[in-house]
Amino acid sequence: MIKVMFVCLGNICRSPLAEAIFNHKVKNRGLEKVIIADSSGTSHWHIGDLPDPRTIETAAGHGIQINHRGRQFKPDDTKIYDYIIAMDKDNRVEIDSIMKNRQSKARVLMMGDFDRNSSGTDIPDPYYGDKMDFQEVFRLLDESCENLVKYLVDTHHPDDKR
């Protein structure tokens, strides 16, 4: 089982949207018994909260349902998950700080590394934006999730090109 954790700041916009898009793509490929994902935030602000209504609305507009409650990224996540995917450099720094001097099996990557058009850039936080900002984040995450699924299939199951 390959376990993926998406991480942003509050776990109400980018990371739950990435989790939902990613799990949708995994299910469409019939890989849900091989790959699973969750999401969390580096802050404690939204523990137990539903995602931002604009996140839910954006996902629903693309036929994707979000079933998630906010949770904070925990040090033990580095032992449970194989891949930790940071939405931006600030969250990457926070994740690296949490992982410092800990035994970890997780590989930390940037979500933007999977976007062919802007490799390595941050996924912008749409929280203070409008519906168009959420749509743009969806577009970025949709392509990045597609490429991440391909990467995982190629890395862990080279003969399975579903």
Side-chain angles (χ1 to χ4, degrees):
M1 178 69 67
I2 302 165
K3 297 177 181 177
V4 179
M5 170 66 75
F6 295 99
V7 183
C8 68
L9 180 61
N11 193 218
I12 60 169
C13 295
R14 295 170 291 175
S15 60
L17 185 57
E19 173 194 349
I21 294 168
F22 182 83
N23 282 333
H24 182 78
K25 291 178 180 296
V26 164
K27 184 176 181 182
N28 284 346
R29 286 178 168 217
L31 297 170
E32 65 271 21
K33 292 184 180 181
V34 182
I35 303 171
I36 61 168
D38 196 358
S39 65
S40 61
T42 55
S43 78
H44 64 278
W45 300 328
H46 299 288
I47 294 172
D49 292 350
L50 289 171
D52 186 292
R54 297 167 295 176
T55 301
I56 295 169
E57 180 182 337
T58 300
H62 293 275
I64 297 174
Q65 193 171 27
I66 296 180
N67 297 311
H68 184 78
R69 291 279 182 170
R71 73 185 276 292
Q72 188 172 16
F73 183 78
K74 302 175 289 203
D76 282 348
D77 289 335
T78 66
K79 296 175 188 172
I80 296 167
Y81 292 90
D82 300 296
Y83 294 92
I84 298 171
I85 312 296
M87 295 294 136
D88 62 39
K89 291 175 190 77
D90 290 339
N91 287 296
R92 171 70 190 255
V93 167
E94 186 66 27
I95 292 164
D96 288 343
S97 172
I98 290 168
M99 291 178 69
K100 189 176 182 180
N101 300 322
R102 294 187 154 273
Q103 286 205 333
S104 169
K105 74 173 193 170
R107 182 168 177 208
V108 182
L109 302 170
M110 296 290 292
M111 192 66 180
D113 290 341
F114 295 96
D115 180 356
R116 290 181 299 223
N117 297 318
S118 61
S119 182
T121 61
D122 290 348
I123 303 296
D125 189 347
Y127 184 76
Y128 292 105
D130 58 22
K131 285 184 180 187
M132 293 305 297
D133 295 305
F134 279 82
Q135 286 297 330
E136 176 60 13
V137 166
F138 182 92
R139 185 191 67 73
L140 292 169
L141 291 175
D142 188 50
E143 178 172 335
S144 297
C145 284
E146 182 68 30
N147 292 330
L148 176 57
V149 171
K150 287 177 186 174
Y151 169 81
L152 294 175
V153 168
D154 289 347
T155 302
H156 296 277
H157 301 285
D159 297 329
D160 184 358
K161 302 293 184 195
R162 283 184 257 190

